[in-house]
Amino acid sequence: MRKVHKIIVSCAIGLTMLLTPIISYADDNATNTVASLTLSDATKMALAHDETIKKASAEIDRTKSLRDNAQDAVKFTPAPGNVYGPQIEVTWTGLLQADLAYRSSLKNYDAKIDTVELDVCKKYWDVQVAQEKLDVQDKLKQQALVNLQNVRAGVASGTVASSTLTLAEAQYNQAVNNYNQAQHALDDAYTAFNQVVGLDPSARPQLTDEVSFEPLQVASLDTAVSQVLEEAPNVWQAQQAIDLKQWALDMMYSSGTYTPYDAREKELEEAKIDYETVKEVMAQATRDIYYKIKQLEEGYNVALEAQKMAQEKLRVANANYSAGTGVKADVVAAEVALAQANEALDSLVRQHAYLKLAFEKPWAVSSTSSSSSSSSSSTSSSSN
């Protein structure tokens, strides 16, 4: 079904649309360091700093000017199904294309904002995860040092074989290397975050906002997917392409030169295929994110129980050590186990929070964020 009235009305409505500008937040002090940042402040800074948003804003002005010019050139509004001369068809098609370009620029601007907001959330939480990983490696380094000191004392007293010392030294050196690598990973996470929000690469603001775990509430996955398809910019653009090809089907000179009917018919058929393909890909991406969220929710209670057990073991280790029935090494080992349990739980919670945002707007998941998530998952798997 042709959506003639819809397109014509949108042309008129578009003339009066105003774009609310983003107030500059970070550019004037882009290289200044800050002591701490909330996620809200970081998002405002990222939106003000991002060049793609500035470019998308300029694109709105450019396409609006072209659309207005194309509208001025239209002296006659064709009726669907009739045959007109080349001049009328070319002029009308030019207006439809210019109008679509303008409306697409509005959609693209909003999509850019969605992408930046999601990206800054991820990078904000990536820094916090990297900090916790560093804390774990610090505990492991302390544990290796205590073990090395005990072995050295045992070798000195003759109760431990000297060959054991070589192994203990190697384990300590490896722990130091792992700590240094974790420090580099934290520096990399800060560099990526600072780049997004417009801070100097050397800035190390404290990221103060924590994440709480709240299960995703979805009454119907099919309904949620349908909602995404209604709002997804790429799905919308594919639908608009069908509308243009539907108009072109009745206009043999819409391209500027004569185009046979069967060729125009095939162009419309291809546009419909493209539309269905885009819908299928977006729907599948939404479902994939949903299932990942549910997997994390299933693992949350397990991770929470592991944390509680680690807390209890540390409590017992401290009590035994205070009573003289335990050793310092047991306390350090329990501290390491608790740090690992905390890191695993917090990492899960942050990943869950990110995917919940991505589930609402899967088109905002940038390729960089996707690859970073895959890399992080691989790193976690290998470290475990």
Side-chain angles (χ1 to χ4, degrees):
M1 177 179 178
R2 298 185 181 90
K3 299 184 178 178
V4 181
H5 179 69
K6 176 182 176 182
I7 294 179
I8 295 176
V9 171
S10 66
C11 290
I13 293 176
L15 289 171
T16 61
M17 292 188 66
L18 297 176
L19 175 66
T20 302
I22 294 177
I23 299 176
S24 176
Y25 187 93
D27 286 353
D28 293 339
N29 300 297
T31 59
N32 292 343
T33 59
V34 291
S36 62
L37 274 178
T38 64
L39 182 55
S40 175
D41 286 341
T43 301
K44 293 176 184 177
M45 292 171 67
L47 291 174
H49 177 71
D50 190 82
E51 294 296 331
T52 64
I53 291 180
K54 297 175 184 177
K55 184 177 179 180
S57 178
E59 181 67 3
I60 291 174
D61 295 335
R62 187 186 75 86
T63 55
K64 182 179 184 300
S65 178
L66 293 174
R67 195 280 307 275
D68 291 347
N69 185 67
Q71 188 170 42
D72 291 339
V74 173
K75 306 302 181 183
F76 175 78
T77 302
N82 295 328
V83 178
Y84 300 92
Q87 183 60 42
I88 292 178
E89 292 185 1
V90 169
T91 303
W92 179 249
T93 301
L95 173 58
L96 295 181
Q97 292 173 338
D99 178 67
L100 176 56
Y102 170 64
R103 290 183 292 127
S104 294
S105 69
L106 295 173
K107 288 280 188 178
N108 289 336
Y109 179 81
D110 291 339
K112 292 291 185 185
I113 291 178
D114 292 338
T115 299
V116 170
E117 289 178 341
L118 191 60
D119 189 45
V120 74
C121 284
K122 184 180 186 305
K123 287 181 169 57
Y124 189 97
W125 293 326
D126 281 349
V127 170
Q128 294 179 328
V129 169
Q131 180 63 64
E132 291 197 352
K133 289 182 180 297
L134 179 63
D135 294 342
V136 169
Q137 293 304 324
D138 184 46
K139 292 292 185 182
L140 287 168
K141 185 176 67 171
Q142 294 177 29
Q143 184 182 34
L145 178 59
V146 170
N147 181 60
L148 176 58
Q149 292 171 340
N150 290 339
V151 170
R152 283 173 175 169
V155 171
S157 64
T159 58
V160 175
S162 58
S163 58
T164 306
L165 180 59
T166 302
L167 177 60
E169 289 175 341
Q171 290 174 335
Y172 175 71
N173 290 334
Q174 184 60 53
V176 172
N177 290 334
N178 292 341
Y179 175 84
N180 292 336
Q181 290 178 7
Q183 181 63 66
H184 291 320
L186 176 59
D187 291 338
D188 290 343
Y190 260 119
T191 298
F193 171 77
N194 291 342
Q195 183 178 10
V196 169
V197 299
L199 289 175
D200 188 272
S202 62
R204 293 296 180 269
Q206 182 181 2
L207 307 186
T208 56
D209 279 0
E210 295 297 331
V211 186
S212 59
F213 181 82
E214 297 179 6
L216 176 66
Q217 303 294 332
V218 175
S220 168
L221 178 56
D222 289 338
T223 301
V225 171
S226 297
Q227 183 67 31
V228 167
L229 295 181
E230 289 179 6
E231 299 177 0
N234 55 344
V235 176
W236 176 85
Q237 289 174 339
Q239 177 62 66
Q240 299 305 306
I242 294 178
D243 292 342
L244 283 180
K245 294 302 180 182
Q246 190 69 62
W247 269 101
L249 183 64
D250 296 325
M251 294 184 172
M252 64 184 73
Y253 293 103
S254 62
S255 64
T257 59
Y258 172 74
T259 304
Y261 181 83
D262 58 345
R264 286 176 275 145
E265 195 173 39
K266 290 301 180 183
E267 289 177 356
L268 176 59
E269 181 181 338
E270 290 172 359
K272 291 179 179 179
I273 293 174
D274 289 341
Y275 171 69
E276 293 300 328
T277 300
V278 170
K279 281 181 58 180
E280 182 179 351
V281 171
M282 183 56 62
Q284 187 59 52
T286 306
R287 293 180 185 277
D288 288 344
I289 293 173
Y290 174 81
Y291 295 131
K292 289 178 183 177
I293 291 173
K294 289 306 172 181
Q295 288 177 354
L296 291 174
E297 290 178 355
E298 290 174 359
Y300 174 75
N301 288 333
V302 176
L304 185 62
E305 188 62 30
Q307 181 194 54
K308 292 178 180 178
M309 291 176 61
Q311 290 171 339
E312 177 61 17
K313 288 181 179 180
L314 177 58
R315 185 193 68 78
V316 172
N318 279 322
N320 290 339
Y321 183 70
S322 298
T325 58
V327 295
K328 182 63 176 178
D330 292 338
V331 174
V332 174
E335 290 175 344
V336 168
L338 178 57
Q340 291 174 324
N342 288 338
E343 188 275 325
L345 178 62
D346 291 344
S347 180
L348 183 151
V349 170
R350 291 185 178 94
Q351 186 180 4
H352 180 265
Y354 171 78
L355 289 177
K356 281 178 63 179
L357 295 176
F359 178 73
E360 295 179 2
K361 300 178 179 180
W363 59 84
V365 180
S366 65
S367 57
T368 301
S369 297
S370 299
S371 60
S372 298
S373 298
S374 299
S375 176
S376 300
S377 299
S378 300
T379 302
S380 300
S381 298
S382 60
S383 63
N384 291 338

